[in-house]
């Protein structure tokens, strides 16, 4: 294909994708895939020296939909120049230095992933809200935007002013909405865009959107800098979220980008990068604009976390709680530098809801620390087939039971379930049997019929003789590790039981409230739901567990094997009543060891930094928590100081 044919093809494809994205709010490809073709088109236009009239490179944003009234912005909303690598960003900074003779101070902020909005206030009242549209003219969505709860209807400033920001859907609200929605939303960005560009404002209201303000367009009153704008937006009551910093070097700006990328999976909203802007308004005036972008701002985009690929099959895995979990097998796809070919489909109910079929093209999302997930169908493909609901367990052949959205294997001795239970029972946060792994569990289950925790607790050296890979020394180690693990704490034991939904934190809270196993085992639903973090579902799980005579018999047998409970978390000690946050990796202590030291000395370890935290114990590569601690003025200590507090050094 010659260059002009390819150019025509790229323009047509990109225009169709953009139409589906902007006009229908129904994207069929991930942003990264659009960007790849767009970049190819730009390169081609540059090398050929011309572009087609309808090329998307002439446009800013999307075409306008006729159903909405249209309105011109007072000031044009430019899109942002973008870069994706350290080199590209350094080049961009280099251009500033070339033009100015120095690197000006840059503001660093989050790049929210939603729908850009422009709000016009006059005489202190919100008079009009528009989408960005093509940057010059947008769609009037005032009624829709007015359903956003925390948006100020009136502000103190009485002049004419355009407030700009992103209409977004918080991930917690997306999850809440999808729980009961007939048509689940594929992602938060389209959830937000589709809600705002809906003619019926009650639809907008039902999704619970937020407006994150970050810029001021036209204003009667001059602003000297981005910092001033941000302070103004905050003072007027707009939601102004996300870290914000003024960087005076390339490395400081890049450090902000790094920290933000690390914090990204923990945020309750989507961001796809950070935005750097020259802070000073007078310096911006010197720099000016290109045809499409301000020269004083750039978006630094993170690696893609979503792509599309084809679903080619589904495997069902049996979990510890006997659930059959659907695992999607996909054509391998590169997501942000990692090849992904398996992803979770969550549960059978979710498959039906998302209408996913084998053969369809699907969206796959991946974030740092969770399994990739299929979030929805990108394109229904002819000949695709419905995902069959298993009627028997694919491992043990027992009948499958359907409860709500989930399928369960009813086989008592389903191998993967038993192995996962043993592994859980012995894991770090449960009984912590040193040197025991899932492999050990599998071996003991398959070769020695160690099918449950009671048998594991009563394991003898003779039982293990001749086991592959186990010499005398290794056998001795495991037997003494089991003996040592029997001196445990009640909360570890409760966590080890593997009651559905009871994590280690909840196990601790249960012990705090009920003190003994006897009292917990007879607690009523009312008493259980009284405990922080326990709702009706968890309470019912706990009750059902202790109501099952087989479980009670098993607990008796475990205790008979010599389990002893040590006192949990004494309230005395150097950290009495203190709340501590751990971040980064410490030079000598593992996270679990530091936690235990804090708890056994009366302290409590929590996960997020707030003003109520007494100190942060920080190691190498601390991430965003350290930043937050500095911002809130929370004390930060290192490991040597920590040891001194404990009198260990
Ligand atoms: Zn089974």
């Amino acid at each position: 294909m010659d260059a002009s044919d390819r150019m025509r093809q790229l323009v047509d494809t990109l225009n169709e994708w953009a139409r589906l994205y902007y006009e229908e709010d129904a994207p069929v490809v991930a942003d990264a895939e659009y960007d790849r073709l767009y970049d190819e088109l730009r390169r081609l236009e540059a090398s050929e020296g011309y572009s087609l009239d309808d090329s998307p490179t002439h446009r800013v944003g999307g075409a306008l939909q006729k159903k909405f009234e249209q309105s011109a912005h007072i000031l044009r909303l430019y899109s942002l120049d973008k870069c994706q690598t350290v080199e590209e960003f350094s080049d961009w900074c280099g251009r500033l230095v070339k033009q100015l003779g120095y690197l000006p101070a840059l503001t660093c902020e989050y790049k929210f992933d939603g729908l850009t909005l422009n709000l016009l206030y006059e005489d202190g009242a919100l008079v009009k809200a528009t989408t960005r549209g093509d940057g010059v003219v947008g769609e009037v969505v005032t009624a829709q935007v007015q359903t956003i709860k925390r948006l100020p209807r009136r502000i103190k400033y009485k002049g004419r002013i355009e407030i700009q920001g992103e209409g977004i859907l918080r991930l917690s609200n997306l999850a809440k909405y999808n729980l009961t929605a007939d048509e689940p939303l594929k992602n938060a960005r389209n959830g937000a865009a589709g809600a705002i560009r809906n003619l019926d404002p009650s639809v907008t209201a039902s999704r619970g959107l937020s407006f994150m303000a970050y810029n001021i367009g036209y204003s009667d009153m001059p602003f000297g800098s981005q910092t001033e704008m941000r302070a103004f937006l905050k003072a007027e009551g707009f939601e102004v979220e996300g870290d914000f910093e003024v960087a005076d070097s390339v490395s400081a700006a890049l450090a902000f980008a790094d920290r933000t990328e690390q914090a990204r999976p923990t945020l309750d909203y989507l961001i796809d990068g950070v935005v750097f802007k020259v802070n000073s308004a007078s310096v911006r005036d010197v720099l000016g604009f290109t045809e499409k972008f301000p020269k004083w701002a750039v978006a630094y985009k993170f690696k893609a976390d979503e792509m599309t690929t084809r679903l080619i099959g589904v495997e069902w895995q049996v979990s510890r709680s006997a659930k059959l979990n659907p695992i999607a097998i996909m054509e391998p796809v590169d997501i942000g530098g990692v090849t992904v070919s398996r992803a979770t489909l969550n549960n059978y109910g979710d498959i039906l809801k998302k209408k996913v079929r084998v053969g369809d093209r699907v969206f796959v999302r991946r974030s740092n620390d969770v399994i990739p997930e299929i979030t929805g169908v990108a394109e229904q493909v002819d000949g695709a087939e419905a995902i069959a609901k298993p009627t028997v367990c694919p491992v043990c052949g027992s009948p499958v039971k359907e409860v709500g959205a989930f399928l369960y294997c009813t086989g008592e001795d389903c191998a993967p379930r038993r192995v996962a239970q043993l592994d859980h029972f012995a894991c770090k946060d449960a009984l912590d049997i040193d040197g025991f792994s899932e492999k050990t569990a599998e071996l003991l289950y398959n070769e020695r019929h160690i099918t449950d925790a009671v048998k594991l607790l009563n394991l003898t050296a003779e039982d293990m003789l001749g086991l592959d890979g186990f010499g005398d020394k290794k056998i001795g180690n495991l037997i003494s590790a089991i003996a040592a693990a029997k001196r445990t704490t009640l909360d570890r034991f409760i966590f080890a039981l593997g009651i559905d939904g009871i994590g280690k934190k909840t196990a601790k809270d249960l012990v705090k409230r009920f003190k003994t196993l006897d009292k917990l085992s007879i607690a009523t639903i009312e008493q259980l739901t009284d405990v922080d973090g326990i709702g009706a579902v968890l309470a019912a799980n706990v009750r059902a567990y202790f109501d099952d005579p087989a479980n009670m018999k098993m607990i008796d047998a475990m205790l008979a094997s010599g389990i002893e409970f040590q006192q949990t978390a004494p309230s005395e000690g150097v950290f009495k009543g203190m709340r501590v946050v751990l971040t980064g990796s410490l030079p000598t202590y593992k996270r679990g060891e530091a936690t235990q030291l804090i708890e056994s000395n009366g302290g409590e370890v929590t996960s997020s930094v707030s003003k109520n935290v007494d100190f942060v114990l920080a190691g190498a590569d601390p991430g965003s928590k350290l930043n937050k601690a500095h911002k809130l003025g929370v004390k930060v200590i290192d490991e040597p100081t920590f040891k001194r507090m404990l009198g260990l050094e």
Side-chain angles (χ1 to χ4, degrees), residues 318 322 324 392-399 409-417:
V318 184
L324 295 189
V392 296
C393 170
V395 180
C396 71
S398 304
C409 164
T410 53
E412 272 305 308
D413 282 312
C414 191
R417 175 186 174 193

PDB file of all heavy atoms in Angstrom, residues 318 322 324 392-399 409-417, ligand 1:
ATOM      1  N   VAL A 318     -10.870 -23.561  40.706  1.00  0.00           N
ATOM      2  CA  VAL A 318     -11.556 -23.729  41.987  1.00  0.00           C
ATOM      3  C   VAL A 318     -10.769 -23.000  43.069  1.00  0.00           C
ATOM      4  O   VAL A 318      -9.565 -23.182  43.204  1.00  0.00           O
ATOM      5  CB  VAL A 318     -11.685 -25.219  42.354  1.00  0.00           C
ATOM      6  CG1 VAL A 318     -12.496 -25.382  43.636  1.00  0.00           C
ATOM      7  CG2 VAL A 318     -12.318 -25.990  41.217  1.00  0.00           C
ATOM      8  N   ALA A 322     -14.238 -22.801  47.361  1.00  0.00           N
ATOM      9  CA  ALA A 322     -14.954 -23.680  46.428  1.00  0.00           C
ATOM     10  C   ALA A 322     -15.621 -22.934  45.277  1.00  0.00           C
ATOM     11  O   ALA A 322     -16.354 -23.522  44.505  1.00  0.00           O
ATOM     12  CB  ALA A 322     -15.984 -24.556  47.146  1.00  0.00           C
ATOM     13  N   LEU A 324     -16.009 -21.331  41.685  1.00  0.00           N
ATOM     14  CA  LEU A 324     -15.406 -21.534  40.371  1.00  0.00           C
ATOM     15  C   LEU A 324     -15.143 -20.153  39.768  1.00  0.00           C
ATOM     16  O   LEU A 324     -16.079 -19.403  39.496  1.00  0.00           O
ATOM     17  CB  LEU A 324     -16.355 -22.314  39.455  1.00  0.00           C
ATOM     18  CG  LEU A 324     -16.666 -23.758  39.852  1.00  0.00           C
ATOM     19  CD1 LEU A 324     -17.436 -24.449  38.732  1.00  0.00           C
ATOM     20  CD2 LEU A 324     -15.394 -24.536  40.123  1.00  0.00           C
ATOM     21  N   VAL A 392     -20.712 -29.261  36.037  1.00  0.00           N
ATOM     22  CA  VAL A 392     -19.923 -30.035  37.009  1.00  0.00           C
ATOM     23  C   VAL A 392     -18.563 -29.371  37.163  1.00  0.00           C
ATOM     24  O   VAL A 392     -18.095 -28.658  36.288  1.00  0.00           O
ATOM     25  CB  VAL A 392     -19.717 -31.509  36.573  1.00  0.00           C
ATOM     26  CG1 VAL A 392     -21.050 -32.238  36.504  1.00  0.00           C
ATOM     27  CG2 VAL A 392     -18.988 -31.583  35.244  1.00  0.00           C
ATOM     28  N   CYS A 393     -17.928 -29.605  38.316  1.00  0.00           N
ATOM     29  CA  CYS A 393     -16.618 -29.029  38.585  1.00  0.00           C
ATOM     30  C   CYS A 393     -15.602 -29.591  37.595  1.00  0.00           C
ATOM     31  O   CYS A 393     -15.517 -30.808  37.428  1.00  0.00           O
ATOM     32  CB  CYS A 393     -16.210 -29.355  40.018  1.00  0.00           C
ATOM     33  SG  CYS A 393     -14.494 -28.934  40.373  1.00  0.00           S
ATOM     34  N   PRO A 394     -14.845 -28.714  36.921  1.00  0.00           N
ATOM     35  CA  PRO A 394     -13.893 -29.192  35.919  1.00  0.00           C
ATOM     36  C   PRO A 394     -12.746 -30.000  36.536  1.00  0.00           C
ATOM     37  O   PRO A 394     -12.053 -30.720  35.827  1.00  0.00           O
ATOM     38  CB  PRO A 394     -13.356 -27.907  35.282  1.00  0.00           C
ATOM     39  CG  PRO A 394     -13.604 -26.835  36.284  1.00  0.00           C
ATOM     40  CD  PRO A 394     -14.821 -27.252  37.043  1.00  0.00           C
ATOM     41  N   VAL A 395     -12.564 -29.917  37.852  1.00  0.00           N
ATOM     42  CA  VAL A 395     -11.473 -30.653  38.491  1.00  0.00           C
ATOM     43  C   VAL A 395     -11.951 -31.996  39.041  1.00  0.00           C
ATOM     44  O   VAL A 395     -11.409 -33.042  38.725  1.00  0.00           O
ATOM     45  CB  VAL A 395     -10.826 -29.827  39.624  1.00  0.00           C
ATOM     46  CG1 VAL A 395      -9.701 -30.617  40.275  1.00  0.00           C
ATOM     47  CG2 VAL A 395     -10.324 -28.502  39.097  1.00  0.00           C
ATOM     48  N   CYS A 396     -13.021 -31.966  39.864  1.00  0.00           N
ATOM     49  CA  CYS A 396     -13.407 -33.201  40.551  1.00  0.00           C
ATOM     50  C   CYS A 396     -14.702 -33.801  40.013  1.00  0.00           C
ATOM     51  O   CYS A 396     -15.085 -34.897  40.408  1.00  0.00           O
ATOM     52  CB  CYS A 396     -13.519 -32.955  42.045  1.00  0.00           C
ATOM     53  SG  CYS A 396     -14.936 -31.953  42.500  1.00  0.00           S
ATOM     54  N   GLY A 397     -15.388 -33.069  39.120  1.00  0.00           N
ATOM     55  CA  GLY A 397     -16.588 -33.621  38.520  1.00  0.00           C
ATOM     56  C   GLY A 397     -17.836 -33.555  39.387  1.00  0.00           C
ATOM     57  O   GLY A 397     -18.895 -34.036  38.989  1.00  0.00           O
ATOM     58  N   SER A 398     -17.726 -32.956  40.577  1.00  0.00           N
ATOM     59  CA  SER A 398     -18.911 -32.832  41.436  1.00  0.00           C
ATOM     60  C   SER A 398     -19.880 -31.825  40.827  1.00  0.00           C
ATOM     61  O   SER A 398     -19.466 -30.943  40.082  1.00  0.00           O
ATOM     62  CB  SER A 398     -18.515 -32.334  42.828  1.00  0.00           C
ATOM     63  OG  SER A 398     -17.553 -33.183  43.389  1.00  0.00           O
ATOM     64  N   PRO A 399     -21.167 -31.931  41.181  1.00  0.00           N
ATOM     65  CA  PRO A 399     -22.138 -30.975  40.649  1.00  0.00           C
ATOM     66  C   PRO A 399     -21.806 -29.545  41.095  1.00  0.00           C
ATOM     67  O   PRO A 399     -21.207 -29.341  42.146  1.00  0.00           O
ATOM     68  CB  PRO A 399     -23.462 -31.414  41.272  1.00  0.00           C
ATOM     69  CG  PRO A 399     -23.239 -32.786  41.773  1.00  0.00           C
ATOM     70  CD  PRO A 399     -21.781 -32.951  42.026  1.00  0.00           C
ATOM     71  N   CYS A 409     -18.218 -25.421  43.528  1.00  0.00           N
ATOM     72  CA  CYS A 409     -18.053 -26.864  43.448  1.00  0.00           C
ATOM     73  C   CYS A 409     -18.583 -27.442  44.746  1.00  0.00           C
ATOM     74  O   CYS A 409     -18.272 -26.948  45.823  1.00  0.00           O
ATOM     75  CB  CYS A 409     -16.571 -27.209  43.282  1.00  0.00           C
ATOM     76  SG  CYS A 409     -16.228 -28.947  43.632  1.00  0.00           S
ATOM     77  N   THR A 410     -19.420 -28.487  44.643  1.00  0.00           N
ATOM     78  CA  THR A 410     -19.987 -29.061  45.863  1.00  0.00           C
ATOM     79  C   THR A 410     -19.148 -30.224  46.390  1.00  0.00           C
ATOM     80  O   THR A 410     -19.484 -30.822  47.401  1.00  0.00           O
ATOM     81  CB  THR A 410     -21.433 -29.556  45.610  1.00  0.00           C
ATOM     82  OG1 THR A 410     -21.395 -30.434  44.481  1.00  0.00           O
ATOM     83  CG2 THR A 410     -22.365 -28.403  45.328  1.00  0.00           C
ATOM     84  N   GLY A 411     -18.060 -30.557  45.681  1.00  0.00           N
ATOM     85  CA  GLY A 411     -17.229 -31.687  46.103  1.00  0.00           C
ATOM     86  C   GLY A 411     -16.465 -31.378  47.377  1.00  0.00           C
ATOM     87  O   GLY A 411     -15.774 -30.362  47.447  1.00  0.00           O
ATOM     88  N   GLU A 412     -16.599 -32.228  48.369  1.00  0.00           N
ATOM     89  CA  GLU A 412     -15.923 -31.999  49.647  1.00  0.00           C
ATOM     90  C   GLU A 412     -14.406 -32.101  49.491  1.00  0.00           C
ATOM     91  O   GLU A 412     -13.661 -31.421  50.176  1.00  0.00           O
ATOM     92  CB  GLU A 412     -16.417 -33.030  50.681  1.00  0.00           C
ATOM     93  CG  GLU A 412     -17.650 -32.587  51.431  1.00  0.00           C
ATOM     94  CD  GLU A 412     -17.468 -31.234  52.113  1.00  0.00           C
ATOM     95  OE1 GLU A 412     -16.475 -31.076  52.849  1.00  0.00           O
ATOM     96  OE2 GLU A 412     -18.297 -30.328  51.890  1.00  0.00           O
ATOM     97  N   ASP A 413     -13.967 -32.988  48.606  1.00  0.00           N
ATOM     98  CA  ASP A 413     -12.532 -33.219  48.497  1.00  0.00           C
ATOM     99  C   ASP A 413     -11.961 -32.762  47.163  1.00  0.00           C
ATOM    100  O   ASP A 413     -11.133 -33.431  46.567  1.00  0.00           O
ATOM    101  CB  ASP A 413     -12.222 -34.699  48.734  1.00  0.00           C
ATOM    102  CG  ASP A 413     -12.257 -34.988  50.223  1.00  0.00           C
ATOM    103  OD1 ASP A 413     -11.631 -34.222  50.980  1.00  0.00           O
ATOM    104  OD2 ASP A 413     -12.938 -35.944  50.627  1.00  0.00           O
ATOM    105  N   CYS A 414     -12.405 -31.590  46.729  1.00  0.00           N
ATOM    106  CA  CYS A 414     -11.911 -31.044  45.472  1.00  0.00           C
ATOM    107  C   CYS A 414     -10.467 -30.579  45.693  1.00  0.00           C
ATOM    108  O   CYS A 414     -10.200 -29.732  46.544  1.00  0.00           O
ATOM    109  CB  CYS A 414     -12.806 -29.900  45.045  1.00  0.00           C
ATOM    110  SG  CYS A 414     -12.498 -29.343  43.382  1.00  0.00           S
ATOM    111  N   ALA A 415      -9.543 -31.165  44.928  1.00  0.00           N
ATOM    112  CA  ALA A 415      -8.121 -30.972  45.226  1.00  0.00           C
ATOM    113  C   ALA A 415      -7.661 -29.509  45.291  1.00  0.00           C
ATOM    114  O   ALA A 415      -7.068 -29.105  46.285  1.00  0.00           O
ATOM    115  CB  ALA A 415      -7.273 -31.750  44.225  1.00  0.00           C
ATOM    116  N   PRO A 416      -7.911 -28.696  44.261  1.00  0.00           N
ATOM    117  CA  PRO A 416      -7.376 -27.321  44.322  1.00  0.00           C
ATOM    118  C   PRO A 416      -7.923 -26.543  45.510  1.00  0.00           C
ATOM    119  O   PRO A 416      -7.229 -25.717  46.093  1.00  0.00           O
ATOM    120  CB  PRO A 416      -7.830 -26.696  42.997  1.00  0.00           C
ATOM    121  CG  PRO A 416      -8.801 -27.616  42.398  1.00  0.00           C
ATOM    122  CD  PRO A 416      -8.625 -28.960  43.015  1.00  0.00           C
ATOM    123  N   ARG A 417      -9.169 -26.848  45.871  1.00  0.00           N
ATOM    124  CA  ARG A 417      -9.786 -26.166  47.000  1.00  0.00           C
ATOM    125  C   ARG A 417      -9.066 -26.547  48.295  1.00  0.00           C
ATOM    126  O   ARG A 417      -8.706 -25.703  49.113  1.00  0.00           O
ATOM    127  CB  ARG A 417     -11.252 -26.587  47.042  1.00  0.00           C
ATOM    128  CG  ARG A 417     -11.986 -26.072  48.217  1.00  0.00           C
ATOM    129  CD  ARG A 417     -13.386 -26.667  48.223  1.00  0.00           C
ATOM    130  NE  ARG A 417     -14.047 -26.283  49.443  1.00  0.00           N
ATOM    131  CZ  ARG A 417     -15.162 -26.828  49.878  1.00  0.00           C
ATOM    132  NH1 ARG A 417     -15.745 -27.776  49.172  1.00  0.00           N
ATOM    133  NH2 ARG A 417     -15.692 -26.428  50.999  1.00  0.00           N
TER     134      ARG A 417
HETATM  135 ZN1  LIG B   1     -14.390 -29.664  42.441  1.00  0.00          ZN
END
